[in-house]
Amino acid sequence: MVRPPSIDSNGMKKGAWSEDEDEKLKTYVEKYGHSNWRLLPRHAGLKRCGKSCRLRWVNYLKPGLKRGNFSKEEQQLVVELHAELGNKWSAIAVKLPGRTDNEIKNFWHTRVEKRHKPNHASQTATNPIINTHSVIEKTDSSDEATSLSTNSSQDDLDSLLSSILEADAALNECFGASYVGGLSSWPVEDDARGSFWNEPSNASNSGSEASSYSYTTPVVEGALLGYDSLLQCFDYETSLFW
DNA sequence: AACACCGCCAACCGCCTGTTG
DNA sequence: GCAACAGGCGGTTGGCGGTGT
């Protein structure tokens, strides 16, 4: 999990910190503070560069740091703050006492970002927002989806389009920069998308086939959910989502 | 049981910004 | 105004451990 200790060309130790080093650093900082990170390692008897000492202190040794999994509240806060602030991890960390920017950054890259990348086949099966099909099933509104896909009028389509835009905005708000391109860029099979928008509104796409493509089209599913529903889904599914 | 793959996270690296002389 | 330096930040890497095949 950590890099093996090594010595660089300047004789500075790199890699994983030993308990002894941690103790030296902690003792020194608690006693003398850290007014000068460059000189600190020499005074503390450490063969580390100042940067490395600072990082170790800030991310690991500083009192008051939380360890372990992010709570549901913290997870939601990270998503909200990222939507607002972007990759300003230090700014986000300020709002999450006990969490470091590095920790939040790791959390984002490992837990959140991967699941929101478009054109990633596996994630559509696990992300309840992207894979809104699962949400529709859970909320038992599949009948509504079927009815819209098979009996929708022009007004219904206009309404759907409007909902898409709302859903799109909601996702942008939630995921900011990580959500690029919008719903319309999601991995929708061209024939499925095309057939939906091109079919006559009262097309009698018979039976399972009609409802099948409507369910597998995120654009339509997202529209069905709409802004509020998407946010509800996000909240409702948080435990599964993370 | 052995191997391959993947998730997680500590730590490094390089760049940017603020401060000081 | 400029250069040098230190601190801070965000992106990326490396490797352990868990899980799947």
Side-chain angles (χ1 to χ4, degrees):
Chain A
M1 189 179 289
V2 292
R3 298 167 197 225
S6 62
I7 307 291
D8 71 9
S9 56
N10 298 320
M12 292 293 179
K13 194 175 173 188
K14 295 169 71 175
W17 282 65
S18 67
E19 282 184 27
D20 184 48
E21 288 176 309
D22 279 347
E23 192 57 38
K24 279 182 180 174
L25 178 59
K26 195 161 184 264
T27 302
Y28 184 90
V29 172
E30 282 175 351
K31 196 168 180 181
Y32 302 106
H34 50 76
S35 56
N36 189 327
W37 283 112
R38 189 180 170 85
L39 297 177
L40 187 148
R42 202 190 314 166
H43 293 157
L46 292 163
K47 291 187 169 165
R48 296 272 184 174
C49 69
K51 265 192 171 186
S52 182
C53 291
R54 179 191 155 272
L55 209 63
R56 184 65 178 172
W57 172 258
V58 167
N59 288 331
Y60 199 82
L61 297 174
K62 194 165 76 175
L65 294 181
K66 288 183 194 170
R67 315 297 305 175
N69 294 337
F70 279 55
S71 68
K72 182 183 170 184
E73 288 73 23
E74 287 175 317
Q75 293 170 3
Q76 287 195 328
L77 197 52
V78 168
V79 172
E80 288 169 15
L81 290 170
H82 187 270
E84 181 185 341
L85 302 168
N87 292 1
K88 304 288 182 189
W89 307 117
S90 56
I92 294 172
V94 169
K95 310 275 186 181
L96 283 100
R99 299 295 185 183
T100 68
D101 54 352
N102 203 37
E103 205 174 4
I104 294 167
K105 180 171 55 180
N106 281 333
F107 168 73
W108 182 266
H109 285 142
T110 57
R111 319 273 225 294
V112 183
E113 190 177 62
K114 279 181 187 173
R115 302 180 189 230
H116 299 150
K117 271 184 187 165
N119 302 319
H120 189 284
S122 63
Q123 68 179 297
T124 58
T126 55
N127 184 333
I129 292 180
I130 292 174
N131 183 24
T132 47
H133 184 186
S134 64
V135 177
I136 290 173
E137 279 185 341
K138 282 186 190 303
T139 53
D140 200 29
S141 59
S142 54
D143 288 344
E144 183 188 348
T146 307
S147 127
L148 273 168
S149 69
T150 54
N151 302 313
S152 52
S153 65
Q154 186 59 47
D155 285 344
D156 289 328
L157 293 175
D158 288 341
S159 171
L160 273 174
L161 184 57
S162 169
S163 297
I164 288 168
L165 295 175
E166 283 188 3
D168 212 349
L171 284 164
N172 265 311
E173 191 177 324
C174 276
F175 305 123
S178 73
Y179 168 65
V180 289
L183 277 168
S184 56
S185 72
W186 284 7
V188 181
E189 291 175 13
D190 285 342
D191 55 347
R193 195 207 308 255
S195 55
F196 178 85
W197 295 111
N198 295 334
E199 290 290 343
S201 59
N202 61 348
S204 56
N205 293 306
S206 55
S208 59
E209 209 178 318
S211 50
S212 167
Y213 73 63
S214 71
Y215 281 112
T216 55
T217 304
V219 172
V220 177
E221 292 172 2
L224 289 171
L225 292 168
Y227 180 93
D228 291 335
S229 299
L230 270 170
L231 293 181
Q232 284 170 14
C233 292
F234 177 72
D235 187 48
Y236 173 73
E237 295 274 348
T238 298
S239 59
L240 290 174
F241 180 42
W242 307 114

